[in-house]
Amino acid sequence: MSDPVKHECAVSMLRLRRGIDYYIRKYGSPFYGCQHLALLLEKQHNRGQDGAGIACVRLNPEPGEPCYALEKSNRNMPLADLLERIGRTMPPPGETPTAEEALRTCPFCGELYLGHLRYGTFGRQGLDACHPFVRANSCLNRTLLLAGNFNLTDTREIFARLLATGHHPASRADGYLILQLIGHCLEKALDEKQHNFDLAEVLRHACGEFDGAFTLCGLLGDGTSFAIRDAAGIRPGYYYFDDEVAVVSSERPAIQAAFDCTTAEVCELPPGEAMVIDRDGKVEFRPCLPPKPLRRCVFERIYFSRPNDAEIHRERRALGRKLVPAVLKEVDGDFANTLFSYIPNTAQVSFHGLLDTLNRIACDAGHTVRFGQIAVKDAKFRTFIADAASRREFYMHIYDVTYGLVRPGSDTLVALDDSIVRGNTLKNAILPIFDRLDPKKIVIASAAPPIRYPDCYGIDMASLKELVAFEAAVDLLRERGRFGLLERCYENAKRELEGPVEAMTNCVRPVYDEFSDAELSAAIARRLRPDNMRAEFAVVFQSCADLAECCPEHTGDWYFTGNYPTPGGFRVVNRALVNYMEHIDARAY
């Protein structure tokens, strides 16, 4: 994705199922758990770079000593900073303390670990916004540590629910509210049933009415732990356990790398079920949430998750292959005068799929496919220029371009991108430097369909004005004298927002129903085309039908189709339309 879009988070939970002595004897270190949690987070650092946190809970802590240790960082490169600080609490290399010494002197030696990497979708960057969150209590089984990958659309309802139970919430942030609500339900269950309470039942009461997406992991101070995923399976979650460890993480390859296990051994966390690990290390799965149709987020497959997952790798190559007919149509099948490339580096796997099919077609026709890496993002690019016009001119150099690959005046340059959201980077940085190479034509091919609708389940695109597809549709309405349709959609959205959320429909959809996919793509290309661009320009998008064929198990495609997986999604899209029409610069949830 060429646009910088904040999204997702990573969560990992690790439970050691043996005593610390076992790991010293077998692996030579009492810090086996901490080291492997660090590896789980390192392998998912792409999912969050605004903050990091690690918590450790030890079984049977001495009275007078805390049952958990917690460190967070929101500095530059927060995970590296966090691990360095935790490392300073451990003995120097070469020294191996006994289990008793390590547990007594090293705060991050324990049996349970919880880690998190954060992307801040609300702009909050303080340490208080970093997970894990803690609800402390002097009773071990009432102390709760929580981290997750989540976004909820019904935080107002959760806030009201806490008020109705006598609480005075100190924040309206969803992480804080989730922590307090689970903590409240936990205390209520303990008051009623004491030590015979059912943690899965607690989670059912707390999370059963959540509207949104979540994978939550929690530790209790007494050594019990849990993981739970939303019933639609929107957010990802995977688990693995053997006789030494039980682990949950946002991405499967992270578990495979940390524990040297196969793809088949790492399982998907069952949507709507609670994975409960008791203080003795026993793992149990319990039905917990009302069942819903599965709507796993397809953007995980297109962009978010790293492509070293075997299934994701296959799917991304398939996405590239599906683009071949539309791409060849745009270049008139002219292999001799076309250079194929990709932007940014995350599109490389899809490009390989595109290239495979192009090579096969070209070989059959006696042609050769010309390809190369045309653009590389400068990760350390900085500018101190304050003047807006000069800054825009300087911004285009955030990408370095490879000279000599494009033959001036005769070549068409095709570049594959993961997806196009706002299109700002394309218009202001990528296309201008491509045009300097003097190609005859530039084609941007998107592995994803046009993003027509806002998201409210984890991606930071909650307003319609941020979506180039919507602005292009509005352009078409104005050009054709149909702007009144948008005004009618706006009036319908206002009316629906006054009614029950369960009855809402997508009031933005009629705008897109006015145009064919080809008409919308052409309008998007006109919006993205920089001023004074010399080359011809076109944009090619994946179709929703081909996307579904490439990623059949991930039907969460609401950004493209408007088919939201929960009622709250329809409230968000309608609120986004009202905000757009009333020029309100605010999030839709």
Side-chain angles (χ1 to χ4, degrees):
M1 189 184 296
S2 52
D3 284 313
V5 175
K6 295 200 171 187
H7 59 85
E8 303 306 318
C9 288
V11 62
S12 292
M13 182 178 75
L14 173 60
R15 167 63 200 265
L16 302 183
R17 304 183 75 196
R18 301 287 190 96
I20 301 299
D21 276 326
Y22 173 87
Y23 302 94
I24 295 175
R25 291 194 303 270
K26 185 169 182 179
Y27 300 106
S29 173
F31 306 110
Y32 176 88
C34 191
Q35 292 163 350
H36 281 70
L37 182 81
L39 183 55
L40 287 168
L41 295 178
E42 288 277 12
K43 293 298 183 180
Q44 299 176 98
H45 71 271
N46 57 295
R47 299 184 71 89
Q49 298 165 24
D50 289 337
I54 292 177
C56 173
V57 169
R58 59 183 58 179
L59 298 174
N60 305 313
E62 288 292 325
E65 297 291 333
C67 66
Y68 70 89
L70 175 65
E71 284 284 355
K72 301 181 183 182
S73 175
N74 64 340
R75 296 184 179 182
N76 186 35
M77 300 181 67
L79 180 58
D81 173 64
L82 182 66
L83 296 179
E84 181 181 350
R85 286 194 278 122
I86 290 175
R88 290 199 293 264
T89 70
M90 297 178 180
E95 292 186 15
T96 304
T98 66
E100 182 180 351
E101 290 169 341
L103 288 167
R104 186 178 68 252
T105 62
C106 303
F108 283 86
C109 178
E111 292 85 0
L112 296 92
Y113 293 89
L114 185 58
H116 188 266
L117 299 171
R118 178 176 183 268
Y119 255 133
T121 56
F122 285 92
R124 296 172 59 237
Q125 302 298 338
L127 280 176
D128 63 330
C130 295
H131 309 207
F133 305 121
V134 180
R135 195 175 195 266
N137 194 290
S138 59
C139 297
L140 295 179
N141 59 359
R142 295 173 187 255
T143 295
L144 172 63
L145 294 88
L146 187 73
N149 173 4
F150 54 80
N151 247 24
L152 302 185
T153 70
D154 59 343
T155 52
R156 292 179 183 175
E157 287 83 354
I158 298 172
F159 188 89
R161 185 176 170 189
L162 283 168
L163 283 178
T165 58
H167 289 78
H168 178 80
S171 170
R172 294 180 183 270
D174 52 2
Y176 171 86
L177 296 174
I178 293 170
L179 174 76
Q180 298 303 324
L181 186 55
I182 294 177
H184 165 72
C185 293
L186 174 65
E187 291 194 350
K188 185 177 179 182
L190 285 167
D191 289 341
E192 293 175 354
K193 300 182 180 179
Q194 296 187 2
H195 297 292
N196 294 319
F197 79 100
D198 185 337
L199 185 53
E201 190 72 6
V202 169
L203 296 171
R204 184 180 70 81
H205 283 298
C207 309
E209 297 180 5
F210 285 174
D211 188 297
F214 56 90
T215 297
L216 300 172
C217 294
L219 310 178
L220 302 188
D222 68 350
T224 306
S225 55
F226 67 86
I228 184 169
R229 186 176 173 208
D230 65 84
I234 299 171
R235 292 276 65 83
Y238 296 89
Y239 74 91
Y240 165 79
F241 66 92
D242 56 25
D243 61 347
E244 294 183 352
V245 299
V247 58
V248 172
S249 208
S250 294
E251 293 194 19
R252 175 165 45 195
I255 299 176
Q256 291 181 248
F259 298 99
D260 191 24
C261 49
T262 67
T263 298
E265 290 176 306
V266 182
C267 301
E268 183 181 11
L269 197 64
E273 292 191 22
M275 177 181 177
V276 178
I277 309 172
D278 68 19
R279 68 183 318 275
D280 294 323
K282 179 184 175 183
V283 179
E284 185 179 12
F285 291 87
R286 297 281 305 281
C288 193
L289 304 179
K292 294 180 180 178
L294 290 181
R295 298 294 304 280
R296 301 176 182 93
C297 171
V298 75
F299 244 126
E300 287 286 346
R301 322 303 276 188
I302 298 169
Y303 175 71
F304 296 149
S305 293
R306 294 170 71 181
N308 56 334
D309 182 287
E311 292 179 357
I312 292 175
H313 192 90
R314 287 194 297 270
E315 291 167 1
R316 290 192 187 173
R317 291 180 79 100
L319 289 169
R321 289 194 296 271
K322 285 291 186 182
L323 285 170
V324 168
V327 167
L328 288 180
K329 181 179 179 182
E330 283 294 338
V331 303
D332 295 323
D334 186 359
F335 285 99
N337 296 296
T338 303
L339 178 77
F340 297 92
S341 191
Y342 58 90
I343 46 153
N345 289 347
T346 52
Q348 187 175 28
V349 175
S350 292
F351 178 71
H352 287 165
L354 177 85
L355 197 59
D356 287 345
T357 304
L358 289 172
N359 277 325
R360 187 170 63 251
I361 295 172
C363 182
D364 291 343
H367 299 299
T368 300
V369 177
R370 296 169 51 215
F371 65 93
Q373 188 171 16
I374 197 68
V376 179
K377 188 174 183 180
D378 186 349
K380 296 183 179 179
F381 182 87
R382 298 289 186 273
T383 177
F384 56 88
I385 297 173
D387 175 70
S390 300
R391 190 180 179 90
R392 282 194 298 272
E393 171 68 18
F394 203 55
Y395 178 72
M396 70 184 338
H397 298 289
I398 194 171
Y399 279 87
D400 288 330
V401 66
T402 304
Y403 296 94
L405 296 179
V406 173
R407 294 180 302 207
S410 60
D411 275 349
T412 293
L413 171 58
V414 175
L416 188 149
D417 197 352
D418 305 286
S419 59
I420 300 171
V421 185
R422 303 178 184 97
N424 292 340
T425 304
L426 274 175
K427 182 172 185 174
N428 298 319
I430 295 171
L431 291 175
I433 63 169
F434 282 0
D435 197 46
R436 287 186 174 187
L437 300 175
D438 197 24
K440 180 181 66 175
K441 183 176 183 178
I442 299 172
V443 178
I444 300 296
S446 170
I451 299 172
R452 295 173 167 91
Y453 302 97
D455 183 60
C456 53
Y457 302 111
I459 312 168
D460 189 22
M461 48 185 194
S463 68
L464 287 169
K465 72 175 185 178
E466 295 178 335
L467 307 181
V468 67
F470 183 76
E471 292 285 20
V474 174
D475 290 345
L476 289 171
L477 290 176
R478 287 196 172 100
E479 290 169 9
R480 301 179 184 188
R482 294 282 291 149
F483 194 79
L485 171 63
L486 185 62
E487 292 173 333
R488 290 193 295 276
C489 291
Y490 161 60
E491 294 297 334
N492 290 338
K494 285 197 298 183
R495 281 194 296 272
E496 291 212 3
L497 286 169
E498 294 175 354
V501 65
E502 295 80 8
M504 288 188 190
T505 60
N506 187 336
C507 294
V508 175
R509 181 175 282 123
V511 172
Y512 293 109
D513 289 342
E514 284 286 297
F515 316 110
S516 68
D517 290 347
E519 289 172 324
L520 183 63
S521 295
I524 291 172
R526 290 194 292 273
R527 269 210 157 248
L528 293 179
R529 184 184 181 91
D531 296 337
N532 304 317
M533 184 176 177
R534 296 166 297 176
E536 297 178 50
F537 178 55
V539 182
V540 170
F541 287 98
Q542 192 81 254
S543 72
C544 290
D546 284 343
L547 174 64
E549 188 175 331
C550 294
C551 308
E553 300 300 318
H554 287 71
T555 58
D557 60 357
W558 52 89
Y559 345 83
F560 314 123
T561 64
N563 297 323
Y564 288 92
T566 73
F570 294 100
R571 176 167 60 186
V572 167
V573 71
N574 291 339
R575 172 54 61 190
L577 179 57
V578 170
N579 288 350
Y580 179 88
M581 295 297 287
E582 296 180 357
H583 307 289
I584 297 173
D585 189 14
R587 301 180 65 87
Y589 64 97

